[in-house]
Structures are given as C-alpha cells and as structure tokens.
C-alpha cells in the first residue's frame, strides 16, 4: 500500500538475485503475465497468481517461494514500478484501421491498448491527448520480441526491449511518426501479424510528468551530460542506440543522490549496485546528470546517442529539488 493511486500497470523485479520479472496490467487482467527479458507468450497464472489484486492504493502479491516468477519470495528484496491508467475500465477506440480495447490515464499521457493484428500496414488509436514519444508493443499469444518506438531514434528505427541489439532499420512503424491520434504499424510479426494478439503501452511527453527523447554523451566521467526533462525523475530508462543493455534507475532504490542501483529490462540478472564506483548518476529537480562515477560507456559515451524515458513520481507541473 501507499502508492496514492490504483495501479493499472505493475512491473515487479527481484533485486538481490536473478529472477524472471513479471509484468501485469489491468487490461489483460492480474493473472496474465508477460516478461520483458524474454520473447515468450503471455503466461496464465490463474492457478497460482503472482499478483492477486490491483488495490485502491497498491497491489497484493502471492507465490511466496515457488515458480520462476515469484513476487513474494522469503528474504527477496523487490522493487515495483507502477503506473495509473483508468482503473481497469476500458473502452473501444476505432480511430485507426484496427480497433483497440483501451484505457487511458486521466492526464492523457499513458495508455494501455490490446488489439488483434491483420498482417497489413495499419494504424491503431493511442487515445492520448498528444502524439506518443515512446511506444512498446508485445505479442501476447506467441513468442516475439518487445518492439519499441522511441521518438529520439525516429520512426524509421526500432529496438527490442528484451535485447541488447542496436536500433534496427525496418518498417516496424511503417516509417511514419505517430500522429496526435494514431500509431502506425508495419507488417511485422512483432506488431501486426495476422491472427496474433498484442498489447501496446504508449507514453506521451507531458509537462511535469513524462519526457522521452535522446541525448548525445560527452564522455566526461566527472562532468557528464545534463538532460533537461522539466521535472525530477522518479524512473529513468536508457538505451544506447548501438548495441548495449537497456538500464533502469529510480528514486525508490536510491532516494538520495547519487543514483547507482540499476536493473536491466532485457536481462533477468540481479541488481547491479556498481560498488566499483562507476555509473553514478544524479536525479535533479529539472532533469538528470550522467556518469559522474566515471563509467561513460553505458550512459555517456562520447558522441554516442542514447534514448530515454523519464517519469515523475506524480503528474505535477513542478517538482522539488533533491
């Protein structure tokens, strides 16, 4: 408890040991599990649910010591990243050539959409109040990669959330930037194959709440690149556009600077606390500053482009300094 809202998206990770990380949302239901570290299809946990309820101020976990997706193992240190949408109440969005079942958060900044592909070049309505700057799509009824559109890389590029691979060039997004109402889908197994079902998570830049973009590293291990978001990040996910891991840091595991505990969406490995003194970053009142611990390769390589998704703790226009 203590979230301050009813979550509709809950991603859970074990910190102190390797563990396949379960991801739930209230559109698919609390017994339906996906994992970002693998291409596997959606898994039905009806018999032994890892997340038994989305509560009004949190969530309830089960599976004390069993299963690959344990959410409540004895002595396990855990972290959960939670997002609000519409309390599990969905509606049909028929703005695109494919209809979606959808819920959108009250600010119009985040949506969860489920749909069936048809194997063509199509569009889906994202339901947001502005064009999304990051879109993450996963096939539910079969094994396929997690496809990512990032504004910072452009509509002709795509990456896989479950992979270290560089951003590739293919018509995953039909080479078209999302509009104020639509996301464009290519004829790809990952986003729009016939007889396949999908879920799409869309994020739109929102003042004081969400920012997704790109930056270029300066290679300085003591005075790294500063990235302006306009708010204090609570969650930060970064990927170099060339081959490299995705990395997540947050203000729950590191409530004070420096921020140095990191988990990888594409790996089930335990948390890296960078006890060697590298990869220490700072969350500031209006953005984040990189790599003051000296390891520039993963966050701040000179001349390298990185894409990021930053979320504030609450959708307030102004954030306080740390």
């Amino acid at each position: 408890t203590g979230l301050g809202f009813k979550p509709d998206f809950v991603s859970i990770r074990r910190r102190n040991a390797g563990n396949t990380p379960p991801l739930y949302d209230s559109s698919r239901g609390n017994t339906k599990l996906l994992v970002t570290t693998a291409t596997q299809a959606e898994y039905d946990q009806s018999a032994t649910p890892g997340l038994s309820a989305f509560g009004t101020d949190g969530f309830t976990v089960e599976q004390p010591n069993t299963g690959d997706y344990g959410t409540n193992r004895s002595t396990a240190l855990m972290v959960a990243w939670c997002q609000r949408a519409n309390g599990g109440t969905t509606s049909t969005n028929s703005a695109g050539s494919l209809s979606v079942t959808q819920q959108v958060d009250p600010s119009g900044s985040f949506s969860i959409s489920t749909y069936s592909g048809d194997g063509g070049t199509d569009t889906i309505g994202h339901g947001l109040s502005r064009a999304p700057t990051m879109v993450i799509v996963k096939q539910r009824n079969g094994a396929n990669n997690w496809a990512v559109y990032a504004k910072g890389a452009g509509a002709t590029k795509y990456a896989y959330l479950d992979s270290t691979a560089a951003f590739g060039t293919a018509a995953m997004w039909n080479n078209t930037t999302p509009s104020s109402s639509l996301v464009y889908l290519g004829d790809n197994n990952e986003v729009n194959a016939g007889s396949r079902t999908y879920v799409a998570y869309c994020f739109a830049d929102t003042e004081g709440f969400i920012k997704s973009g790109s930056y270029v590293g300066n290679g300085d291990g003591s005075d790294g690149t500063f990235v302006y978001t306009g708010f204090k990040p609570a969650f930060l996910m970064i990927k170099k556009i060339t081959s490299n891991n995705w990395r997540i840091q947050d203000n729950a595991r590191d409530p004070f600077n420096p921020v140095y505990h990191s988990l990888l969406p594409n790996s089930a490995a335990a948390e890296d606390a960078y006890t060697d003194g590298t990869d220490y970053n700072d969350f500031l009142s209006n953005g984040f500053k990189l790599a003051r611990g000296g390891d520039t390769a993963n966050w701040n390589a000179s001349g390298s482009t990185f894409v990021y998704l930053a979320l504030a703790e609450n959708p307030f226009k102004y954030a306080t300094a740390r």
Side-chain angles (χ1 to χ4, degrees), residues 75-86:
T75 74
L77 302 179
M78 310 294 289
V79 62
W81 302 304
C82 305
Q83 191 83 353
R84 177 185 179 184
N86 194 36

Side-chain angles (χ1 to χ4, degrees), residues 275-286:
T275 54
D276 59 357
T278 63
D279 281 2
Y280 281 32
N281 301 317
D282 286 336
F283 286 178
L284 306 175
S285 62
N286 59 349

Side-chain angles (χ1 to χ4, degrees), residues 30-321:
N30 68 286
T31 63
K32 301 296 192 298
L33 173 150
L34 287 167
V35 294
T36 62
T37 58
T39 62
Q40 70 190 56
E42 182 178 83
Y43 178 68
D44 191 335
Q45 287 187 306
S46 297
T48 55
L51 190 151
S52 58
F54 297 98
T56 57
D57 190 35
F59 54 90
T60 302
V61 293
E62 304 289 348
Q63 289 195 5
N65 284 295
T66 61
D68 292 333
Y69 316 110
T71 55
N72 192 30
R73 294 176 183 269
S74 177
T75 74
L77 302 179
M78 310 294 289
V79 62
W81 302 304
C82 305
Q83 191 83 353
R84 177 185 179 184
N86 194 36
T89 301
T90 62
S91 59
T92 299
N93 184 331
S94 299
S97 58
L98 300 178
S99 291
V100 302
T101 300
Q102 185 173 82
Q103 56 172 320
V104 185
D105 86 304
S107 71
S109 307
F110 169 68
S111 65
I112 303 170
S113 304
T114 58
Y115 65 95
S116 296
D118 75 354
T121 54
D122 285 288
T123 57
I124 57 171
H126 52 71
L128 306 180
S129 55
R130 62 202 70 84
T133 51
M134 184 165 281
V135 179
I136 302 171
V137 177
K138 176 68 178 76
Q139 184 188 346
R140 301 173 58 190
N141 63 341
N144 251 312
N145 298 97
W146 290 75
V148 179
Y149 160 79
K151 178 184 177 181
T156 63
K157 302 283 189 179
Y158 71 94
Y160 293 140
L161 189 63
D162 54 288
S163 171
T164 62
F167 271 78
T169 302
M172 187 76 70
W173 315 111
N174 204 20
N175 296 323
T176 306
T177 302
S179 72
S180 59
S181 59
L182 300 174
V183 172
Y184 295 81
L185 306 175
D187 182 6
N188 293 276
N189 290 339
E190 291 86 355
V191 298
N192 192 32
S195 302
R196 303 189 185 187
T197 57
Y198 298 89
V199 61
Y201 305 109
C202 297
F203 301 83
D205 283 1
T206 304
E207 185 179 5
F209 184 24
I210 294 175
K211 179 69 174 175
S212 178
S214 64
Y215 65 89
V216 177
N218 66 12
D220 193 321
S222 58
D223 188 19
T225 297
F226 166 73
V227 181
Y228 177 80
T229 62
F231 56 83
K232 178 179 67 177
F235 171 98
L236 177 65
M237 182 169 70
I238 286 179
K239 166 94 170 71
K240 189 191 294 187
I241 64 169
T242 55
S243 180
N244 210 340
N245 287 305
W246 295 83
R247 285 176 166 81
I248 293 176
Q249 294 182 327
D250 60 66
N251 70 351
R253 293 174 293 148
D254 290 307
F256 305 101
N257 286 325
V259 178
Y260 59 94
H261 291 89
S262 186
L263 284 162
L264 313 179
N266 54 278
S267 170
E271 177 179 84
D272 192 337
Y274 295 108
T275 54
D276 59 357
T278 63
D279 281 2
Y280 281 32
N281 301 317
D282 286 336
F283 286 178
L284 306 175
S285 62
N286 59 349
F288 56 94
K289 191 170 177 63
L290 296 153
R292 73 176 170 104
D295 181 2
T296 63
N298 295 325
W299 301 86
N300 193 39
S302 180
S304 292
T305 300
F306 297 76
V307 298
Y308 71 90
L309 172 66
L311 307 176
E313 189 154 347
N314 288 295
F316 296 150
K317 185 174 181 179
Y318 300 108
T320 57

